[in-house]
Amino acid sequence: MFSVQISLVQNAIKAGGRRSVARSEVQMPGRVGDDGIRSVCRVSDLSIAGARLETYQALAPHSVVMLTLPGQPPRRARIVWSDDYTAGCAFDQPLSEAVLDQLVAIYGFVPALPEIAMFRA
């Protein structure tokens, strides 16, 4: 079971951050596996270079996994960091901009407007 954590991150690189490409928040199903074992996961942010995964099993940093995104063939990825059941991975071959745009259009996370905005005239 997944818990909910909401963090508002614009589709841009934060000043002084370590990311080399912009990322988009998504709520996307996926499958991750290695050594023939596959498990469902949730992709919670995505860029052409990699993704943040929420999993049911801990993934070891520096391990190599196969990640399957909706409608895409499995892609090889290296686990860059891991914290219990959340991990960041870097794709061996980057996603094309067209694939990224398509996935974000379908699975992009858009925060709800604050209730106060509903009452303004």
Side-chain angles (χ1 to χ4, degrees):
M1 179 175 221
F2 293 105
S3 64
V4 176
Q5 176 182 350
I6 297 176
S7 60
L8 302 178
V9 177
Q10 294 180 354
N11 189 8
I13 304 168
K14 291 183 179 180
R18 295 179 296 164
R19 299 191 190 285
S20 59
V21 296
R23 61 184 173 150
S24 297
E25 283 194 71
V26 293
Q27 293 297 315
M28 179 188 313
R31 295 184 67 81
V32 66
D34 58 357
D35 299 328
I37 300 169
R38 301 202 78 150
S39 176
V40 295
C41 69
R42 176 170 297 177
V43 179
S44 56
D45 81 30
L46 184 66
S47 73
I48 60 170
R52 180 174 52 204
L53 311 175
E54 298 170 10
T55 65
Y56 288 104
Q57 63 187 31
L59 299 172
H62 311 294
S63 62
V64 175
V65 298
M66 295 301 288
L67 175 65
T68 305
L69 301 172
Q72 299 298 307
R75 94 176 28 254
R76 190 175 150 100
R78 181 178 44 85
I79 302 301
V80 178
W81 61 268
S82 179
D83 183 16
D84 292 327
Y85 299 105
T86 303
C89 69
F91 302 138
D92 280 2
Q93 296 294 318
L95 288 175
S96 70
E97 288 287 342
V99 168
L100 176 66
D101 291 346
Q102 179 185 31
L103 291 171
V104 171
I106 296 169
Y107 298 101
F109 177 74
V110 179
L113 293 174
E115 287 184 31
I116 194 162
M118 295 173 52
F119 298 106
R120 291 186 183 167

